[in-house]
């Protein structure tokens, strides 16, 4: 089911499905007697009321979606700044502890790693490589944990570096959320496009609503109705997926397998 929803969230498939629905409605109106009878009963006042109502619904969706996207952007930005501030505080505590110790090769390795991490600005995180000093600390820690004389030092350093690792990972996750927010922006842009198209269709209907173009105008409305339904489906799927990512302590895959 998820694959089908992801498949129908792509713009080119949404466009193709909407065009197919519009073509089917046009063929029904042009070739079927029931379609011809329905088209003859269609009045401009009824048609304009329907299109105006549809445009209002899409415009309301755009306003709600805009608020949701703005909240996601601001929330992720605030969390990223908070995690970065906490990272600086943890590095400062690590640095203070190291300065209280006597000089030693292990202390110098840790100090070099802390200095390199303190140089990182917020725009430098996340990254896949945190420098040679970071790698040297990891190697020295692996060796020190096997040495009885150095073990206590590295066990204490792990308490500090463990918090730093968690914060670096947290900033990485938040950064991924900021990238994913573009999906909501794409959905919002589609909504604005639909509103613009419906306004244009409304203007064309006021000017050219007659027997020769009535069938084409009706099929155009079917196109926009189909696109609107697919847009709502896409937004619902994106929100549900966002909810699942936020509730990361629940294993949905295991629940599906057990069911």
């Amino acid at each position: 089911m998820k694959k089908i929803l992801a498949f129908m969230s792509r713009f080119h498939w949404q466009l193709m499905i909407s065009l197919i629905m519009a073509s089917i409605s046009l063929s029904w109106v042009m070739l079927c007697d029931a379609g011809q009878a329905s088209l003859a009963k269609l009045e401009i006042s009824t048609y304009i009321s329907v299109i105006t109502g549809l445009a209002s619904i899409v415009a309301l969706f755009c306003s709600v979606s805009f608020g949701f996207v703005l909240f996601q952007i601001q929330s992720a930005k605030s969390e990223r700044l908070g995690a970065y501030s906490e990272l600086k505080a943890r590095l400062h505590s690590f640095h203070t502890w190291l300065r209280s110790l006597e000089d030693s090769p292990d202390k110098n390795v840790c100090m070099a790693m802390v200095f390199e991490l303190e140089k990182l600005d917020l725009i430098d995180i996340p990254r896949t490589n945190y420098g040679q000093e970071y790698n040297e600390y990891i190697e020295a820690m692996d060796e020190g944990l096997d040495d009885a004389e150095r073990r206590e030092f590295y066990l204490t350093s792990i308490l500090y570096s463990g918090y730093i690792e968690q914060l670096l990972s947290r900033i990485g996750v938040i950064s991924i959320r900021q990238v994913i927010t573009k999906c909501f922006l794409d959905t919002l842009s589609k909504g604005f496009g639909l509103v613009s198209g419906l306004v244009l269709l409304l203007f064309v209907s006021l000017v050219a609503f007659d027997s020769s173009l009535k069938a084409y105008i009706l099929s155009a409305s079917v196109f926009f109705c189909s696109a609107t339904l697919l847009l709502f489906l896409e937004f619902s799927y994106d929100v549900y997926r966002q909810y699942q990512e936020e509730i990361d302590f629940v294993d949905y895959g295991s629940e599906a397998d057990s069911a």
Side-chain angles (χ1 to χ4, degrees):
M1 184 64 181
K2 292 182 179 179
K3 292 182 178 180
I4 296 176
L5 292 175
F7 179 79
M8 296 181 66
S9 298
R10 299 177 181 177
F11 174 73
H12 56 280
W13 289 116
Q14 291 176 341
L15 181 62
M16 184 177 297
I17 293 173
S18 301
L19 288 173
I20 290 174
M21 296 301 296
S23 300
I24 292 175
S25 65
L26 180 62
S27 301
W28 178 75
V29 169
M30 299 293 291
L31 302 177
C32 182
D33 293 336
Q36 291 286 346
S38 299
L39 186 64
K41 297 178 181 179
L42 182 62
E43 297 179 355
I44 184 173
S45 58
T46 304
Y47 182 81
I48 290 178
S49 299
V50 172
I51 297 301
T52 302
L54 181 61
S56 301
I57 293 173
V58 179
L60 179 61
F61 163 79
C62 289
S63 62
V64 174
S65 179
F66 178 77
F68 177 78
V69 171
L70 186 61
F71 169 76
Q72 290 292 326
I73 293 175
Q74 294 295 331
S75 176
K77 185 177 180 180
S78 299
E79 289 185 29
R80 194 160 183 258
L81 289 173
Y84 179 73
S85 177
E86 182 65 19
L87 174 65
K88 286 294 186 179
R90 293 293 181 179
L91 287 172
H92 178 72
S93 299
F94 198 1
H95 189 191
T96 302
W97 174 72
L98 289 172
R99 290 182 62 184
S100 66
L101 302 177
E102 296 180 357
D103 290 337
S104 65
D106 293 326
K107 174 185 174 181
N108 294 333
V109 170
C110 291
M111 189 73 76
M113 186 266 292
V114 172
F115 275 134
E116 287 301 315
L117 292 179
E118 285 180 340
K119 292 179 182 178
L120 296 178
D121 200 356
L122 184 59
I123 60 175
D124 300 324
I125 308 173
R127 56 192 303 175
T128 57
N129 186 6
Y130 288 98
Q132 182 64 28
E133 291 78 5
Y134 185 85
N135 296 329
E136 291 177 355
Y137 168 75
I138 298 299
E139 295 175 0
M141 181 184 65
D142 292 337
E143 296 176 0
L145 290 176
D146 296 331
D147 190 339
E149 296 180 356
R150 304 162 60 193
R151 182 179 178 84
E152 183 178 355
F153 171 82
Y154 279 104
L155 285 176
T156 306
S157 71
I158 288 175
L159 295 177
Y160 290 96
S161 61
Y163 284 120
I164 294 171
E165 284 281 355
Q166 292 177 2
L167 290 169
L168 289 174
S169 300
R170 179 59 181 167
I171 294 175
V173 172
I174 296 172
S175 301
I176 293 174
R177 285 175 51 193
Q178 289 180 306
V179 175
I180 294 176
T181 305
K182 185 180 182 299
C183 297
F184 296 107
L185 290 174
D186 293 339
T187 303
L188 181 61
S189 63
K190 293 177 186 177
F192 287 138
L194 283 176
V195 172
S196 301
L198 287 169
V199 172
L200 179 61
L201 178 62
L202 183 61
F203 176 77
V204 172
S205 302
L206 291 172
V207 175
F209 193 88
D210 53 30
S211 57
S212 61
L213 298 177
K214 188 183 294 187
Y216 298 99
I217 293 176
L218 180 62
S219 63
S221 65
V222 174
F223 170 83
F224 284 108
C225 287
S226 302
T228 300
L229 292 176
L230 291 173
L231 181 68
F232 290 165
L233 181 64
E234 175 186 350
F235 183 76
S236 301
Y237 172 66
D238 288 339
V239 172
Y240 180 71
R241 184 176 58 182
Q242 180 78 7
Y243 167 78
Q244 286 186 325
E245 292 173 354
E246 289 294 333
I247 312 299
D248 53 0
F249 52 84
V250 179
D251 189 358
Y252 291 97
S254 299
E255 290 182 354
D257 294 338
S258 61

